[in-house]
Amino acid sequence: METELKKFEEFKKIIDAAKNIPKEDLYFTYNGVIYPTLTCDVDTFKTIETFEAREEDLMLVAYPKCGSNWTTALVNSLLRAACNKEPSAIIPLLEFKAPNKFEKLKVEPSPRFLGTHLKYDNIPQSFFDKKVKMLVVFRNPKDTAVSLFHFYNSNPALPTYNSWDEFFPDFMAGKVVWGSYFDQAVAWNKHLDDDTILLTIFEDMKEDLEGSIKKIAEFYGFSITEEQLKQIAEQGTFKSMKENSGKTHGEFGKIVFRKGEVGDWKNYFSQAQSQEMDAKFDECLAGTKLGEKLKYNVHCKW
């Protein structure tokens, strides 16, 4: 727990630094994708191109606000139970900048648990060469958009939006941090049958957390007891993690854990916006494996 808090102390410094920075300086574009200036930089992106993965590495991949913080906490609980390993104090996302980060990762004992919001094509090649197991997390796009809207407005490291109606067209055009949800979804959909990839859906975790944790444990090769599984599930609900976020994430907890609900999008989308996203979903994901797993007609239709 102390290690995790140390990690999020870095975010407090970022939040404090953001208060005096003009809105237009809070983000930059790299290879056509927008990233937050205070957590990412060009030097880090260039460094990760040659990052050396290990076969024992464990990777979590998620588009922003699809459940990455929740899933990270669950995997850390599994690491404690199965490997007696505490989370690394290193900032968790591969693309996040931090002093001497990659030097520290070189000497960190295996299994290293790493995360990223990067698109498939931007993940270092060594992860694929070493056949690293990747847990890919997705959430229905409507709730993802609403959650990202609130993340922008609650996180001082990102520019704020005056309204949901102002944010929606930027989300649809991919003019948000880490780019287009649909571009990422299309890219990952092509690889869901790979042996090294496990798809986990946010809504499925909400419906059956214990079952989802069991699948993750089996995928990563963790051996845990039924008692450990039940304990991780009981302590790992979104509600429980939000209540304890002050202890685990410090001030950043209020930013990353908001509602965690399914269907909150109905409080924001107009009929026209809903139809626009329905059309985009059909264009990109209708008839695909990922589209089917997202149960769009169940979670995203009025």
Side-chain angles (χ1 to χ4, degrees):
M1 193 74 73
E2 192 173 314
T3 305
E4 287 186 82
L5 269 178
K6 182 180 177 184
K7 179 166 58 184
F8 287 99
E9 283 174 6
E10 295 296 323
F11 285 110
K12 185 179 185 307
K13 295 176 185 176
I14 291 169
I15 290 168
D16 290 341
K19 293 173 183 175
N20 299 316
I21 296 178
K23 178 179 178 178
E24 62 272 14
D25 293 335
L26 289 173
Y27 57 89
F28 69 101
T29 301
Y30 183 73
N31 288 341
V33 178
I34 296 171
Y35 297 100
T37 305
L38 289 169
T39 51
C40 302
D41 62 15
V42 173
D43 287 343
T44 303
F45 280 114
K46 289 181 177 178
T47 302
I48 63 176
E49 289 175 5
T50 56
F51 181 81
E52 283 299 320
R54 302 174 191 162
E55 290 180 12
E56 304 86 4
D57 285 341
L58 310 173
M59 186 69 148
L60 185 149
V61 188
Y63 184 80
K65 308 313 297 174
C66 281
S68 55
N69 285 286
W70 184 18
T71 315
T72 294
L74 293 172
V75 175
N76 279 331
S77 294
L78 285 168
L79 278 166
R80 289 191 194 97
C83 309
N84 197 28
K85 180 179 170 70
E86 284 298 318
S88 169
I90 300 165
I91 289 179
L93 291 190
L94 196 62
E95 61 270 26
F96 276 10
K97 60 184 178 182
N100 304 314
K101 170 181 174 176
F102 294 102
E103 287 78 2
K104 293 174 183 175
L105 280 173
K106 283 180 182 178
V107 297
E108 184 178 335
S110 295
R112 298 180 301 187
F113 178 39
L114 303 166
T116 186
H117 290 320
L118 293 175
K119 187 178 173 182
Y120 179 92
D121 298 336
N122 294 332
I123 290 175
Q125 183 58 39
S126 65
F127 281 89
F128 303 106
D129 294 340
K130 295 292 178 66
K131 300 187 182 301
V132 171
K133 289 185 176 180
M134 298 186 188
L135 176 63
V136 178
V137 182
F138 267 98
R139 182 185 193 181
N140 84 69
K142 289 183 178 178
D143 280 330
T144 300
V146 168
S147 186
L148 188 58
F149 165 65
H150 284 287
F151 188 64
Y152 261 84
N153 282 355
S154 63
N155 186 351
L158 294 174
T160 57
Y161 279 85
N162 293 321
S163 68
W164 161 253
D165 288 341
E166 182 185 343
F167 175 81
F168 178 77
D170 279 357
F171 181 86
M172 293 301 294
K175 294 179 180 179
V176 290
V177 287
W178 280 276
S180 166
Y181 169 99
F182 290 100
D183 285 354
Q184 290 219 21
V186 168
W188 279 108
N189 180 69
K190 296 174 184 175
H191 301 279
L192 294 184
D193 290 326
D194 295 359
D195 293 338
T196 54
I197 289 175
L198 174 68
L199 175 66
T200 296
I201 302 297
F202 180 96
E203 289 78 13
D204 291 347
M205 290 169 62
K206 290 285 291 185
E207 187 175 324
D208 180 13
L209 183 57
E210 193 171 311
S212 296
I213 294 170
K214 187 175 183 179
K215 288 178 183 177
I216 293 170
E218 290 172 351
F219 174 68
Y220 279 147
F222 293 144
S223 179
I224 58 172
T225 65
E226 283 296 317
E227 184 180 348
Q228 287 173 320
L229 173 62
K230 290 183 182 299
Q231 185 178 29
I232 292 170
E234 286 171 5
Q235 297 175 352
T237 64
F238 190 94
K239 182 176 181 291
S240 176
M241 288 191 178
K242 181 178 179 179
E243 290 172 352
N244 292 317
S245 63
K247 298 176 183 177
T248 58
H249 292 66
E251 291 186 23
F252 202 64
K254 292 179 286 187
I255 296 173
V256 297
F257 293 101
R258 192 181 67 90
K259 280 190 174 182
E261 293 179 356
V262 178
D264 190 36
W265 64 269
K266 293 179 181 178
N267 296 316
Y268 297 86
F269 275 69
S270 68
Q271 190 72 40
Q273 289 167 344
S274 181
Q275 291 172 351
E276 182 179 345
M277 189 170 280
D278 292 350
K280 183 70 173 178
F281 184 91
D282 288 344
E283 175 192 341
C284 297
L285 294 170
T288 66
K289 184 173 183 177
L290 178 54
E292 181 183 344
K293 293 284 187 181
L294 284 169
K295 300 175 185 173
Y296 191 86
N297 287 337
V298 175
H299 299 302
C300 294
K301 292 292 181 76
W302 260 303

